[in-house]
Amino acid sequence: MNTKHLLPILLVTLMLCSCGKNVLLDDTRTFADNTWMRFQPEQFELTPTSTDDCYNIIVTVTIDTSRYHETGLPIILELDNANHEKRTLFGTLVLRNHNGNWMGSFDEQGNLVIQQAIRQYFFFSSTTTHHISLGQRTSKYEIHGIRSLNLKVEKAKLEYPE
């Protein structure tokens, strides 16, 4: 094989192999009866590889808009690591814009799919195992119409201004 063809093949292979290392967690949960209970948060676990890298924490929800009519979905994300360090992040997924129109996109079943970063450029304080609890923080015991929830933690590129 000619060496001028080997280099591009090697570079593409290297890029494809390294893509998965940028994602620490990508996990989806579905809810029984499309109901998210307030006092039953979803549990996740991850182990960061470095404290020098920053990450984006992204939440994606699939919502039956015929059952859930609110303009936002408030959530709480609690992190606890093996060093007993605890961090709490609050966020609200914006479901409607200021005109009242749904944000995001609709899937083939007619469900709203919303993906938003809850925290950008997040740094982990240690490389120990982190337990993550993700819950809804509405005033309701149960909210109907939430079909699924995805939590993704991916490496972010922190760019400093010049």
Side-chain angles (χ1 to χ4, degrees), residues 47-66:
T47 305
T49 55
S50 170
T51 58
D52 295 329
D53 296 328
C54 62
Y55 296 89
N56 292 329
I57 301 174
I58 301 165
V59 174
T60 305
V61 291
T62 304
I63 301 171
D64 179 356
T65 56
S66 67

Side-chain angles (χ1 to χ4, degrees), residues 67 86 98 107:
R67 297 182 72 196
K86 296 179 188 245
H98 64 280
D107 65 10

Side-chain angles (χ1 to χ4, degrees), residues 24-25 43-51 55 57 77-87 122-133 151 153:
L24 287 182
L25 177 70
Q43 304 296 322
F44 302 90
E45 193 173 280
L46 64 81
T47 305
T49 55
S50 170
T51 58
Y55 296 89
I57 301 174
L77 189 135
E78 298 176 318
L79 295 105
D80 183 13
N81 67 23
N83 296 334
H84 304 291
E85 298 169 333
K86 296 179 188 245
R87 294 162 104 180
F122 181 84
F123 286 88
F124 289 96
S125 58
S126 72
T127 56
T128 61
T129 300
H130 285 69
H131 300 281
I132 300 174
S133 173
L151 178 62
V153 180

Side-chain angles (χ1 to χ4, degrees), residues 82-152:
N83 296 334
H84 304 291
E85 298 169 333
K86 296 179 188 245
R87 294 162 104 180
T88 302
L89 308 174
F90 297 97
T92 300
L93 298 173
V94 179
L95 305 180
R96 292 180 187 255
N97 64 17
H98 64 280
N99 293 326
N101 298 321
W102 292 109
M103 305 281 287
S105 61
F106 287 89
D107 65 10
E108 56 276 355
Q109 288 86 28
N111 299 309
L112 178 67
V113 179
I114 292 281
Q115 180 179 48
Q116 292 177 15
I118 295 304
R119 186 62 47 102
Q120 292 181 307
Y121 310 119
F122 181 84
F123 286 88
F124 289 96
S125 58
S126 72
T127 56
T128 61
T129 300
H130 285 69
H131 300 281
I132 300 174
S133 173
L134 178 60
Q136 56 103 339
R137 60 181 183 93
T138 65
S139 60
K140 300 175 182 173
Y141 177 68
E142 54 188 34
I143 52 176
H144 303 283
I146 310 300
R147 294 191 181 268
S148 67
L149 167 76
N150 175 275
L151 178 62
K152 185 175 187 177

